[in-house]
Amino acid sequence: MEDFKEQYRRELADQEIRSNKHTLKGFGWFLIAVALIWLLTVTGFFEVDKKLITIAFISNIILFIPAVYIYLKSDLSKSWIKYFLLSLICIVSAVIAAFLSFHAVLVYVVPLLLAIQYRRRSTIWFVYAVNTVTMLISSLVSFYYGICDLNILLQSQHVRNWYLDIITESALNIPFNENPVFIIIVFEVFPRSIMLFVFSIMMQYTVKSSNEDAYRIAQLTYLKETDTKTRVFNKNKYVEMAADYYPKIERISVLFWDLNNLKKINDEYGHAMGDMAIEKLTSVLYEYSSDRCRVYRIGGDEFLMIIDDPKQEESETIIRSVQGKLEADHMNNEIKISSAVGLAFGSGSDIFEVVKTADTCMYENKRRSKQERKA
């Protein structure tokens, strides 16, 4: 019952919630993967330092706790949630890369893959920036405390200091760089950041294309479900909701509205004035629309208002209010708009019967009104 832009914004908000849930699931899969690596390491399948993989595993569990807390306690539609969760993913990636070194080179791409689903280029560049910073810290930690790249050559599982101690105690005189920070930044972090930059650009195109597709899908959905002239839901949407949604609602109220004297208005003042009368009734009904009170145009001048779990006297109050607003409004000081309405209550599983009862009550209301006018 919203215009297209409002409906599209609402869909984006729902998508934000779904994406945050997916990010948290990705966090969980990350944790499961590290747990599996840890388990295979402690059982001797992988030749990785058990202490290092244990530190990485415990660190990830600690980082997972605030993510779960936010999922349980916070409104997932808030924009800051995604930045917090994606930052945690970047930190987790850095922790894994720091302690597993060459075993986890591709881990930095994972936060970018999760950022795509938010369909915002700003999110991708935020992740890229955080990734670059955490990658720098991770590379420095990895150099001093992670698995040394020499292990590939020597088929071992030691860290840098172990090799330094061996060389110091031996007769070999091999010079070691005493200040490797510059080398790490220039020859490790910088090339990786360039590759991540290229990935970010490519993902940006994917996000743009995804946004365009989402907009077209939302537009088609809006046209399929909405009566564009009056902005309320159309009969297609009513049939869909009656089949899939309302049977799950324990109690509903149905208000069946029909514009009075539409034929007379069309004959005496023209169809343009008749359309204006329909739009006036719709605009009044639209004021009461919400997530639990939906309005459907099911015919030329016939409208359904269906309320989920109506409160006491809510339906009757709406009827009095709508009729009062219609009576107070006159078009061109000549046409008085009025409507007949029928009200029925029942279970959502019996929605067609409830609508039929409301329809019968509406015609009875219309008949009484004609009799009163003749009297």
Side-chain angles (χ1 to χ4, degrees), residues 108-132:
Y108 295 113
V109 180
V110 174
L112 287 172
L113 294 176
L114 290 173
I116 291 180
Q117 64 182 325
Y118 290 95
R119 297 179 179 174
R120 290 184 178 89
R121 286 178 287 184
S122 59
T123 306
I124 290 178
W125 292 114
F126 169 81
V127 170
Y128 171 76
V130 176
N131 237 352
T132 302

Side-chain angles (χ1 to χ4, degrees), residues 57 182 244-245 306:
F57 182 41
F182 177 78
D244 301 329
Y245 176 76
I306 304 178

